[in-house]
Amino acid sequence: MAGNWKMYKTAAETTAFFQKFAPMVAAATHAEIVICPPFVNLPAAVDAARSANIEIGAQDVFWLTEGAYTGEVSAPMLAAIGCRWVIIGHSERRQYFGETEETVLKKTKAALDAGLKPIVCVGERLEEREAGATESVCGAQFDGGLASLESEQFARIAMAYEPVWAIGTGKTATPEMAAGAHRFLRSRIALRFGHKIAAACRILYGGSVKPDNVKGLMAQPEIDGVLVGGASLDPASFASIVRFARQLTITRQFLS
Ligand code: PEP
């Protein structure tokens, strides 16, 4: 269950969030909980989450380890401060900052080399969904980037299906729509990397997940978890989403 804070909260607000949130999720020991604050708040978040069952992730990373790249942050720098995860290829980065399949792939490899766990996002825009192109868009995003990883590398990533039209809009994909896209992605993963790796791959759903719609989404066996923007900013709201985390079972019926 991952929270993407986008460009919200100061360091003091980050610490205050964890003071409330950590006790709320202390009993959810089966859940993998990840919070991704802005870069400048990562040290405060790592510090605040140190004795809690919460891991910290970044929202982006550069693909080289160091150099004259003003404004960028490398994967070894993130790992060195205790960051464990990184979101790569979020639709906001694709839309506003020129992220492409090529950069997604380079960033994913850099993150893996540094021991970080990438959450790689794919998803279609509204006009693509309306044109019936969801599968061709998500398939092309997968084929143009992640499909070039080695199996051993792919086995260490999580994916997020995030339909762009559902992000920050209040419009959630229905559980059936989300599950259909997840099923498609998993079959594409199976074609490239085999059934075992496909079955084990965590695929999160993201797009206006809230405490009142998470139950229906998590009831779909295809949906392993959620990537949550707005509703992860409030401790009580994200804690009530985390309640629906379940243990991942790799024996998926449709693959057996
Ligand atoms: C996101 O930022 O990945 C996201 C899904 O945002 P929201 O939950 O606000 O739609």
Side-chain angles (χ1 to χ4, degrees):
M1 311 302 264
N4 170 19
W5 281 2
K6 311 193 188 205
M7 198 174 69
Y8 290 100
K9 293 194 192 291
T10 62
E13 287 164 347
T14 299
T15 305
F17 173 93
F18 281 95
Q19 272 163 5
K20 287 191 182 159
F21 181 67
M24 288 175 176
V25 296
T29 47
H30 65 292
E32 249 182 312
I33 307 169
V34 181
I35 301 270
C36 303
F39 283 132
V40 288
N41 297 336
L42 288 171
V46 167
D47 206 37
R50 206 172 292 284
S51 53
N53 52 334
I54 305 164
E55 291 191 319
I56 302 304
Q59 299 173 18
D60 189 25
V61 64
F62 192 56
W63 57 80
L64 294 176
T65 52
E66 61 180 12
Y69 301 99
T70 302
E72 295 296 332
V73 174
S74 78
M77 291 172 186
L78 294 174
I81 57 158
C83 194
R84 295 283 165 260
W85 295 80
V86 58
I87 298 171
I88 297 175
H90 190 279
S91 65
E92 286 152 15
R93 300 236 39 107
R94 292 175 186 263
Q95 198 178 345
Y96 306 129
F97 303 101
E99 195 83 84
T100 63
E101 299 325 323
E102 193 193 344
T103 60
V104 167
L105 180 63
K106 290 202 278 191
K107 289 178 177 190
T108 303
K109 286 181 178 169
L112 290 169
D113 285 347
L116 298 172
K117 297 179 270 190
I119 300 172
V120 183
C121 306
V122 297
E124 81 286 2
R125 296 193 306 259
L126 182 59
E127 59 274 26
E128 294 165 334
R129 159 76 54 178
E130 286 173 348
T134 299
E135 294 191 354
S136 61
V137 169
C138 295
Q141 288 173 340
F142 175 78
D143 291 346
L146 299 181
S148 303
L149 292 174
E150 301 296 329
S151 299
E152 166 283 318
Q153 292 174 312
F154 187 84
R156 290 188 283 139
I157 73 161
M159 287 191 71
Y161 167 62
E162 296 212 306
V164 181
W165 49 271
I167 298 178
T169 58
K171 287 186 201 158
T172 324
T174 64
E176 293 72 24
M177 280 160 94
H182 283 220
R183 211 164 16 251
F184 166 76
L185 276 173
R186 207 177 295 282
S187 65
R188 203 62 167 234
I189 297 166
L191 269 181
R192 166 64 186 90
F193 294 107
H195 287 282
K196 202 170 161 209
I197 287 180
C201 180
R202 267 95 43 94
I203 308 180
L204 314 183
Y205 167 77
S208 296
V209 175
K210 308 283 177 218
D212 60 2
N213 61 22
V214 64
K215 187 174 179 192
L217 290 161
M218 289 304 296
Q220 297 287 330
E222 266 303 329
I223 300 178
D224 300 316
V226 286
L227 178 55
V228 185
S232 71
L233 292 166
D234 175 68
S237 151
F238 195 45
S240 59
I241 287 172
V242 165
R243 280 197 296 132
F244 292 93
R246 58 183 146 68
Q247 211 110 40
L248 177 67
T249 135
I250 63 164
T251 44
R252 285 171 202 279
Q253 217 185 342
F254 80 106
L255 287 172
S256 58

